[in-house]
């Protein structure tokens, strides 16, 4: 599976961005997709995930209520709609994919098999 992330940019605090992660090489029917981010001087952290089959979603507490992950089967693409952005959301955002595994590991980067190249989101105050 090859993943291509896009949609990053510079936005003012309170603004919105939508990231996209296009997958190629396999259809995503049996996969789980996630977004992680890594801010300046920080470790990579979980943001959101979606189970393609069934559509269950999972969020980090820090983004719950502001971000929404969704998928488009026809386009083999996962989106991350980010609203009410804060300066602390500034980071490189990575999409990741894995074949369906136990849900207890869905928030952990080590549990993902495929990674995109990252897209930079900068939120100015």
């Amino acid at each position: 599976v090859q993943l291509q992330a896009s949609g990053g940019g510079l936005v003012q605090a309170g603004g919105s961005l939508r990231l996209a992660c296009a997958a190629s090489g396999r259809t995503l029917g049996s996969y789980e997709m996630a977004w992680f981010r890594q801010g300046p001087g920080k470790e990579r952290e979980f943001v959101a995930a979606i189970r393609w089959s069934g559509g269950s979603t999972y969020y980090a507490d820090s983004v719950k209520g502001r971000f929404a992950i969704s998928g488009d089967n026809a386009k083999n693409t996962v989106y991350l709609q980010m609203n009410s952005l804060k300066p602390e959301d500034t980071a490189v955002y990575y999409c990741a994919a894995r074949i369906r595994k136990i849900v207890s590991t869905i928030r952990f980067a080590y549990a993902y098999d495929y990674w995109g190249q990252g897209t930079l989101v900068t939120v100015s105050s």
Side-chain angles (χ1 to χ4, degrees):
V1 176
Q2 292 80 46
L3 303 175
Q4 180 71 40
S6 62
L10 174 64
V11 63
Q12 288 188 331
S16 298
L17 279 176
R18 189 177 77 156
L19 306 182
C21 177
S24 60
R26 293 280 179 91
T27 56
L28 296 176
S30 60
Y31 282 73
E32 296 169 337
M33 304 290 294
W35 289 93
F36 288 79
R37 67 186 182 186
Q38 188 164 13
K42 298 180 181 180
E43 294 187 352
R44 192 169 298 191
E45 64 175 357
F46 171 78
V47 176
I50 184 168
R51 289 191 135 181
W52 208 262
S53 175
S56 297
T57 56
Y58 307 83
Y59 295 95
D61 288 343
S62 59
V63 306
K64 201 172 294 182
R66 300 188 297 124
F67 291 11
I69 189 170
S70 62
D72 185 328
N73 278 327
K75 296 182 178 180
N76 233 25
T77 299
V78 172
Y79 301 98
L80 184 68
Q81 177 67 43
M82 305 186 295
N83 300 324
S84 301
L85 282 161
K86 304 175 181 180
E88 51 263 43
D89 295 318
T90 294
V92 177
Y93 283 71
Y94 299 90
C95 62
R98 68 179 196 174
I99 296 173
R100 191 181 179 101
K101 300 177 183 177
I102 57 173
V103 69
S104 61
T105 63
I106 204 164
R107 299 169 184 267
F108 298 100
Y110 72 80
Y112 287 80
D113 305 305
Y114 307 97
W115 290 85
Q117 84 287 2
T119 184
L120 176 62
V121 173
T122 303
V123 184
S124 63
S125 57

